[in-house]
Amino acid sequence: PSQTLPEMLAASVATYGKKVALEFFGASTTYVELGDQVARAAEGLRRLGVRAGDRVALVLPNCPQHVVAFYAALRLGAIVIEHNPLYTARELRHQFEDHGARFAVVWDKLADTVADFPSDLALEHIVSVDITEAFPLGKRLALRLPVAKARQARAQLTAAPTSKRPSRWKALSTHGRLSKKHSGPRLDDIALLQYTSGTTGTPKGAILTHANLRANAMQGRAWVPGLHDGEETFYGVLPLFHAYGLTLCLTFAMSIGAKLVLFPKYDLDLVVTAAKKSPPTFLPAVPPIYDQLARAAARGTIDLTTVRFAISGAMSLPVATVDRWEQATGGLLVEGYGMTESSPVALGNPIGPSRRPGTVGVPFPSTEIRVVDPENPSVDRALGEAGELLLRGPQVFQGYWQRPADTADTLLPGGWLRTGDIATVSSDGFVTIVDRLKEIIITGGFNVAPSEVEDVLVSHPDIDAAAVVALPKPRGGEDVAAAIVVRDGVEIEPEAVRDFCKTRLAAYKVPRRIVVVDELPRSLIGKVLRREVRERLMS
Ligand code: ATP
Ligand code: MG
C-alpha cells in the first residue's frame, strides 16, 4: 500500500506492537509505546497551533524524542525541517531565516540560543527537550509538551510590522480552540526540508515529499536481501538530521519493525557498550567509522560478527577500509551512493559476492541514470566515458526551498537530477564516481580529479588521510596541493611523498605543495571539506 511516513509507522505499531522500536542508553521503547508518544506529542503540537503545511524545525541530536517529534509533526501534515544541533548560533539562524518556521523543537541546551534569534524571524514557539531524561535510569520517555518558551512575545508583537502575522502571534498563550480533525498528510505533500551538507557552498533546503521518502525506504528494502522483519537491530550512529541517517536508519528501520539503537553521536565506547546488550545486525555508516570499528574489532574490543549488513555512503570508500572491515568481522562492507536531493540513496552495490569494491554499484530499483556532457547535459556520453551523472526516480526531490534558480539548474526537464558528480559506467553497468565536478582541478590544461591523488596518498603506509585541492598560481592557473595527516608518531618529508606520488601518477597530477596537518576539516557526517582545506592552505 502507498502510505505516508506516519501511516508506515502506524502499520508497524500494529504489526510489531511489543517489540522494541528504539533503544537509547539501554532504555527501550516498544512500538506501541512509540505510537502512544507520537500521538500525545502530535496532540501537544496541535494545541500549540501546528497545522497541516506548517513548518516545524527540529534541532536535536539522535534521541527518542527526535523520533517522536519527527513523526508527531508529520502526523499533523506539518513539514519537518532537520538541523544540525552542533551548528553555531549563526549557522542555525541563517537556516531559520531561510525556512521561516514558526515552530521549533529544540534540545534544551540550545533553547536559549534559538530564543535569542532576532525578533523579525517567523519563529513563535520553542519546545525545549531534555534528552537526559532517557539516560541510564531507564525512565520512560515523554516529549514534554507544551513547554513553549515564548520569546518576549509582546515586545516583538509591537516591534514586528503589522502586515506580518498579526493574528498568529497572539496564539502563543492560547491552547484552546481545538479542531476535531487531525488533518493528516497525503503522499504528495511535503514531509521534509532537508538541508544539504554544505560541502560545496551554503546548505540548500531540499524539498522531499512523503512519496519520495517512502520510495527510498522501499527501494532500500528491495536492495537488502535476507532482512528479517521484526528481528533486525539497526545502529543509528549517523545523525538523523542528515538524509543518510534519516532514511537508512530511521524510516527504513521503522518500516520493517527493527530495533533502532540511537547514539547522540558516534563514539566507539558508546558503541562497544551498546553492542553488549543489543548486538548490531544492520549498520549504515561512513568510511572513517568503519575504519575505527574494524580496528577495534581486530583488537578484540568489540564483536562485530553479528553485522550482516554494513553499508557505506556519503563519500568514497577506500578499498583498504573494505579489506580491514571484512577481515575483522567476516562480513561484507558494500558501498552505495546518494545525495540529499534523492532522499538520499540512488545507487548501491549488490549485497553479496558480486559487489565490486571501488564502485558505487548499480542504480536502485526504478532508478534511471545517464552520463552526460556537463557543459551540455542533453548530450549523452559514450559508454565508459566520464561525464556528469544524472538520476531519475521516485526518490528525486521537488526542488530547493525558495531557490528557483538553483532548482532550475539542478532539476532538468523530464525529471532528471543533476548530481554535480563526474562518473563512469562499466559495460556491465557498475558506476564509479570520479569526483565532484566543482572540485576537479585544471592545471596546465589538464584535468585532475582530487580523489585520484588522495587515493594514491593514503595508499602510503604512513599517511592516514589526505585532501587534495587547487591553489591559485601567482601568475594565473592552478596548482595541485595536498594536506596530509600522518600516522601517529611518524615523521615524513614532503619531498619523499612527492617521490612516492611520481612513481604512481602522471607528473601534472603530483601535488606541487604538500603540507602536513594534524587533522582535516570534516563535516559532521565526516566528509572532508576541501573548501576549508583550500582556505587554510591559502592563508
Ligand atoms: P552540498 O550539496 O551542500 O555542497 P553535499 O553535496 O556534500 O553538500 P550531500 O547531499 O550530503 O551534500 O552529499 C551528496 C554528495 O556526496 C554527492 O553529490 C557526492 O559528491 C557525495 N557522495 C555520496 N556518496 C558517495 C560515494 N559513495 N562516493 C563518493 N561520493 C559520494
Ligand atoms: Mg550536493
Side-chain angles (χ1 to χ4, degrees), residues 192-210:
L192 186 67
L193 296 186
Q194 179 66 57
Y195 282 92
T196 60
S197 291
T199 310
T200 58
T202 312
K204 300 183 285 278
I207 300 171
L208 295 165
T209 61
H210 286 266

Side-chain angles (χ1 to χ4, degrees), residues 196-197 200 204 339-341 400 419 436:
T196 60
S197 291
T200 58
K204 300 183 285 278
M339 55 198 295
T340 308
E341 293 87 337
Y400 296 110
T419 63
R436 289 182 191 257

Side-chain angles (χ1 to χ4, degrees), residues 378-446:
S378 58
V379 178
D380 286 82
R381 286 274 155 94
L383 185 68
E385 219 184 296
E388 183 174 356
L389 181 67
L390 306 189
L391 303 172
R392 181 161 73 177
Q395 74 275 50
V396 168
F397 80 147
Q398 313 300 310
Y400 296 110
W401 181 252
Q402 292 191 324
R403 287 172 180 262
D406 287 326
T407 302
D409 286 346
T410 309
L411 263 185
L412 302 181
W416 290 99
L417 165 65
R418 290 190 73 156
T419 63
D421 292 310
I422 299 292
T424 59
V425 185
S426 70
S427 54
D428 57 352
F430 278 72
V431 177
T432 301
I433 302 295
V434 177
D435 220 309
R436 289 182 191 257
L437 183 54
K438 281 190 187 169
E439 292 177 347
I440 299 279
I441 303 168
I442 300 166
T443 177
F446 291 111

